[in-house]
Amino acid sequence: MAEKSLSQKRFSFLPRYAILLYCAIALLRAEKRTERRRRRDSRAAELSKRRGYTSMDVRSDIRNIAIIAHVDHGKTTLVDQLLRQSGIFRSNEAVAERVMDSNDLERERGITILSKNTAVSYDGVKINIVDTPGHADFGGEVERILMMVDGVLLLVDAFEGCMPQTRFVLKKALGLGKKPVVVVNKVDRPGARPLEVVDEVLDLFIELGANDDQLEFPVVYASGRDGYASTDPNVPGTDMKPLFEMILREVPAPQGDRNGPAQILFSNIDHDDYVGRIGIGRVERGSVRDGQAMVLCCRDGSTRNVKIGKLYQFEGLRRVEVESAALGDLVAVSGFTDLNIGETACAPDCVEPLPFVKIDEPTVSMLFMVNNSPFAGREGKYVTSRNLRDRLFKEVETNVAMRVEETDSADTFKVSGRGELHLSILIEQMRRQNYEFQVSSPHVIYKEIDGKLYEPIELLMIEVPDSYVGAVMEKLGGRKAEMINMGTRDTGVTHLEFKIPARGLMGYRQEFLTDTNGNGIMNNVFDSYEPYKGDIPERPQGSLVAHETGESTGYGLWYAQDRGRLFIGPGVEVYEGMIVGVSPKAEDITVNVCKKKHVTNTRASGSDEALKLTPPTVLSLEQCLEFIKNDELVEVTPKSVRMRKTILSKEQRMKLASKKK
């Protein structure tokens, strides 16, 4: 008798009904895959028809993906591993951790601020990867970058699960019809719960209205730190190969008209000291080459003739000059002066601008002013209103989520952004560039809808040990927060969700750290505009204000420390009206920190005893912005961050206070 085939051997021990059931399941899976591909092709065809494509070409040698996630869920670390295991680096090449975070601020703070492009090759396919910021304040970066890609890797922490920014970025991706691949990261973390997290992700997909194709998302379980991925949560992988293969299998290849007239949509702007402004975008139709003449469709509806200077593509961490690029390629283009994000470059014989994604409006504003303190001009290089104006308007060219408006005063500018961090990063960048200026306290941006005042509401997620829940809820109750969800975990941690006015969060972060002894985690993201919730009390403590200009002394600080908590130590230059500490009382207290001990020829008992000073509390830039009230300012210079009263003179402050009574 002939030897049985391998498939016959495989099922020889099974009853007939089990074999039939197995075959039926296999057929259903195959049909589902076919249906998924059919829907994907029809969606692509519909998109092509909408954009005017006459024929359909598929670039199977390219995949364009963006990595999106909540802050600190491991996006940049995962990109590091993809770069390393794709063979981009030499075996003996020294590579720093979080190699994509090239900015000094990014490395210092451990967060991604600007989107970065890179590319790797796997199995003959070029994979363009865009690493995006995870913090909600930089959501404008994520929104526009999604226009460049066909699919997204949604990273979710295997312990924390879905967080506010996860919801935000996923909503944007699903709305644009992007194909998601869920990566449950940090599966090696103690307390990891990957299967529960997948269920949470599914619930979130359903809540956000994902279509059937998006709901059938593939899942990969990974550890970015250890550099492995697996399709089984119980079986750790050995490398990133399962993730690479999932990207090639599930992320759609770019589709469109390869032979049509050229069309590039620019979603990012970079700058080079040698070639100037560089536009980063995607070839949406046709092909382009260096030196090609094109028509640039500006956002205001006007057009102008331009010429491609140099054409680049991404390989690893480098921009490589190329002669041409085709449909689906992510390119960097030089030679376009005054190029802005969201503009389209077209062939001269077919001028068709593409629509750009709508960026959410800012919710927080702040006044930037020329420094007029007694120490003005000592430390900064750029100090005039013209310097300040040019720098701020240059920022909005690349930072599409930010707005700059001129005011009645030539020395004052209103800057609006997504949040306090969004604005504080700009302030920090400017001071490192030798700018000197002062800023007001942040204020939320209100809207009037149907004659009623509306204010921005934030979705706040907090995780704290059970023992601190009472203190957190008490503080948030006074800030008009409404609890919408509460749950406990096996690790003794309570998960809280609130809706809170953006005003209520200002100045709360420091209180939260104090109330939880640094053991709590809080994250927030913009949710919606709702009717005004009523007054929220300001900081209950007053300020300790310097009485005169001079240098702080140990003797003066020793007397002043009994009045409150100090922010400075001895030997610091101060001026009248400068804030040097916080008072436990509601009103401001003027103190003389420059007071010196009178020298006499008489010695008294105990007069020479050493003065014991309490170490000062040195506030960071963000803490200063949270601390100040409406009548106070933060003076920012390349070397110093000082707080001051808007009106420096004590007498003038008292006169103004008496008029208000």
Side-chain angles (χ1 to χ4, degrees):
M1 190 169 72
E3 191 176 350
K4 290 183 176 180
S5 67
L6 185 63
S7 60
Q8 288 175 323
K9 284 182 177 180
R10 186 177 177 185
F11 297 113
S12 59
F13 64 93
L14 293 174
R16 188 177 293 274
Y17 70 84
I19 297 172
L20 291 172
L21 182 63
Y22 180 88
C23 294
I25 293 171
L27 282 170
L28 283 171
R29 286 177 174 172
E31 286 178 5
K32 190 171 278 188
R33 283 196 298 269
T34 304
E35 178 64 18
R36 194 187 305 162
R37 281 196 294 269
R38 188 190 63 77
R39 281 202 298 264
R40 187 187 302 161
D41 293 343
S42 86
R43 192 168 67 246
E46 185 182 343
L47 179 64
S48 301
K49 186 179 179 182
R50 197 163 60 240
R51 291 186 171 180
Y53 298 161
T54 55
S55 61
M56 181 65 64
D57 296 303
V58 179
R59 289 288 307 275
S60 55
D61 59 333
I62 291 180
R63 297 292 188 276
N64 297 322
I65 60 168
I67 300 185
I68 59 175
H70 186 79
V71 64
D72 203 31
H73 277 198
K75 296 182 299 298
T76 304
T77 306
L78 188 78
V79 174
D80 278 2
Q81 291 294 344
L82 294 177
L83 286 168
R84 292 172 195 274
Q85 297 191 26
S86 66
I88 288 293
F89 305 118
R90 299 189 312 272
S91 57
N92 62 345
E93 188 173 351
V95 184
E97 288 189 7
R98 295 188 294 112
V99 68
M100 294 292 287
D101 286 346
S102 53
N103 189 301
D104 289 341
L105 272 176
E106 293 178 322
R107 289 196 166 277
E108 289 171 18
R109 297 173 181 247
I111 60 173
T112 301
I113 298 171
L114 301 171
S115 301
K116 312 286 193 318
N117 290 72
T118 186
V120 300
S121 291
Y122 181 80
D123 199 17
V125 177
K126 183 179 182 181
I127 304 174
N128 289 306
I129 304 172
V130 187
D131 184 20
T132 63
H135 201 285
D137 283 20
F138 309 109
E141 290 279 315
V142 182
E143 289 170 302
R144 57 189 170 88
I145 288 303
L146 289 175
M147 297 292 290
M148 298 172 62
V149 300
D150 302 294
V152 294
L153 294 187
L154 177 67
L155 252 72
V156 187
D157 191 298
F159 176 77
E160 294 183 355
C162 297
M163 300 297 282
Q165 185 70 358
T166 313
R167 173 188 297 271
F168 174 80
V169 294
L170 182 59
K171 184 179 180 181
K172 298 293 181 184
L174 295 178
L176 292 170
K178 306 300 178 184
K179 173 68 178 179
V181 175
V182 176
V183 181
V184 181
N185 197 27
K186 304 185 184 182
V187 291
D188 56 328
R189 182 176 174 179
R193 44 190 191 92
L195 295 178
E196 293 179 39
V197 167
V198 172
D199 291 339
E200 291 177 11
V201 172
L202 179 59
D203 292 341
L204 184 58
F205 269 68
I206 295 170
E207 186 182 336
L208 296 176
N211 59 42
D212 294 342
D213 191 23
Q214 292 168 335
L215 284 173
E216 296 171 6
F217 54 85
V219 182
V220 177
Y221 305 91
S223 170
R225 187 192 65 179
D226 295 340
Y228 68 80
S230 172
T231 54
D232 189 340
N234 301 314
V235 182
T238 55
D239 52 27
M240 286 294 182
K241 187 177 177 181
L243 180 56
F244 279 120
E245 290 178 347
M246 188 70 75
I247 291 171
L248 298 190
R249 188 167 62 249
E250 295 292 339
V251 175
Q255 301 184 37
D257 186 2
R258 192 168 183 174
N259 299 314
Q263 194 179 46
I264 309 174
L265 177 64
F266 292 102
S267 301
N268 205 355
I269 298 287
D270 199 0
H271 187 273
D272 189 274
D273 293 336
Y274 298 101
V275 299
R277 180 169 293 194
I278 295 176
I280 299 173
R282 165 172 161 150
V283 181
E284 299 285 349
R285 184 176 65 198
S287 58
V288 293
R289 64 184 187 280
D290 58 348
Q292 182 176 342
M294 303 193 77
V295 174
L296 187 65
C297 304
C298 304
R299 288 189 295 190
D300 58 3
S302 62
T303 60
R304 54 191 175 90
N305 296 325
V306 292
K307 183 180 179 182
I308 295 178
K310 290 186 178 180
L311 194 64
Y312 305 89
Q313 287 191 19
F314 299 94
E315 286 185 13
L317 302 176
R318 299 178 297 120
R319 277 199 300 260
V320 181
E321 191 173 342
V322 294
E323 292 183 358
S324 64
L327 166 74
D329 283 325
L330 301 189
V331 295
V333 179
S334 69
F336 292 5
T337 56
D338 300 327
L339 174 67
N340 292 305
I341 290 170
E343 296 180 345
T344 308
C346 307
D349 57 342
C350 185
V351 180
E352 295 177 353
L354 289 171
F356 194 67
V357 63
K358 184 180 180 298
I359 305 294
D360 288 346
E361 295 294 317
T363 57
V364 176
S365 67
M366 193 182 283
L367 295 179
F368 282 55
M369 295 164 276
V370 173
N371 188 15
N372 61 0
S373 81
F375 294 170
R378 286 191 179 185
E379 301 172 355
K381 181 179 178 182
Y382 307 106
V383 299
T384 65
S385 60
R386 182 179 291 275
N387 295 145
L388 187 61
R389 184 186 186 280
D390 291 347
R391 176 62 181 85
L392 291 174
F393 278 98
K394 184 182 177 182
E395 180 69 22
V396 297
E397 290 177 1
T398 56
N399 199 335
V400 293
M402 193 169 282
R403 302 283 186 273
V404 176
E405 304 168 47
E406 296 188 77
T407 64
D408 297 336
S409 171
D411 295 338
T412 305
F413 303 90
K414 182 181 177 182
V415 182
S416 306
R418 285 285 184 86
E420 291 172 276
L421 180 63
H422 192 198
L423 295 170
S424 71
I425 290 292
L426 171 63
I427 295 170
E428 184 63 36
Q429 287 172 338
M430 289 176 66
R431 69 177 289 237
R432 294 189 181 198
Q433 295 163 0
N434 284 321
Y435 284 85
E436 184 178 308
F437 54 99
Q438 54 192 16
V439 296
S440 70
S441 59
H443 297 277
V444 300
I445 299 173
Y446 298 100
K447 285 185 178 181
E448 190 169 324
I449 304 173
D450 297 331
K452 293 183 178 180
L453 190 65
Y454 280 66
E455 65 175 329
I457 303 295
E458 300 276 324
L459 178 64
L460 175 66
M461 285 192 180
I462 289 178
E463 290 193 1
V464 291
D466 298 343
S467 54
Y468 301 114
V469 172
V472 170
M473 292 182 70
E474 184 182 353
K475 285 285 178 67
L476 288 176
R479 293 173 175 267
K480 307 294 183 182
E482 299 176 9
M483 189 168 69
I484 57 177
N485 195 11
M486 180 178 180
T488 57
R489 292 180 177 165
D490 299 335
T491 53
V493 173
T494 300
H495 179 82
L496 304 166
E497 292 183 23
F498 298 89
K499 278 190 174 182
I500 182 171
R503 296 177 293 130
L505 279 177
M506 292 180 179
Y508 174 66
R509 193 170 296 275
Q510 198 60 35
E511 288 185 34
F512 175 75
L513 292 174
T514 304
D515 292 342
T516 61
N517 288 333
N519 293 310
I521 300 171
M522 62 176 285
N523 292 284
N524 60 284
V525 67
F526 171 74
D527 184 70
S528 60
Y529 269 86
E530 292 185 8
Y532 184 72
K533 302 294 183 181
D535 294 335
I536 296 175
E538 283 189 327
R539 185 185 82 226
Q541 302 92 0
S543 302
L544 298 181
V545 185
H547 175 262
E548 62 183 28
T549 301
E551 189 175 290
S552 62
T553 63
Y555 189 71
L557 293 171
W558 184 70
Y559 272 99
Q561 68 183 8
D562 293 334
R563 300 291 189 93
R565 178 161 53 93
L566 294 173
F567 296 153
I568 63 169
V572 177
E573 285 191 291
V574 300
Y575 52 79
E576 182 188 4
M578 179 174 158
I579 298 171
V580 296
V582 58
S583 163
K585 299 180 179 179
E587 67 272 6
D588 297 333
I589 300 175
T590 303
V591 294
N592 188 2
V593 292
C594 304
K595 186 177 182 180
K596 296 180 180 177
K597 188 176 181 180
H598 294 291
V599 180
T600 66
N601 58 359
T602 307
R603 299 178 67 89
S605 175
S607 61
D608 291 332
E609 291 180 4
L611 303 176
K612 294 183 179 179
L613 294 177
T614 305
T617 303
V618 181
L619 300 185
S620 65
L621 173 62
E622 282 83 5
Q623 289 171 330
C624 290
L625 295 175
E626 285 187 352
F627 179 82
I628 60 173
K629 294 182 177 180
N630 292 333
D631 64 337
E632 297 168 349
L633 301 172
V634 177
E635 179 188 354
V636 181
T637 74
K639 297 180 180 178
S640 312
V641 176
R642 307 182 186 96
M643 292 180 290
R644 50 163 287 186
K645 304 299 288 187
T646 303
I647 301 172
L648 298 178
S649 169
K650 180 184 176 182
E651 289 76 16
Q652 291 184 16
R653 291 198 304 271
M654 291 178 68
K655 286 179 181 177
L656 185 64
S658 63
K659 287 180 181 178
K660 290 182 178 179
K661 289 181 179 178

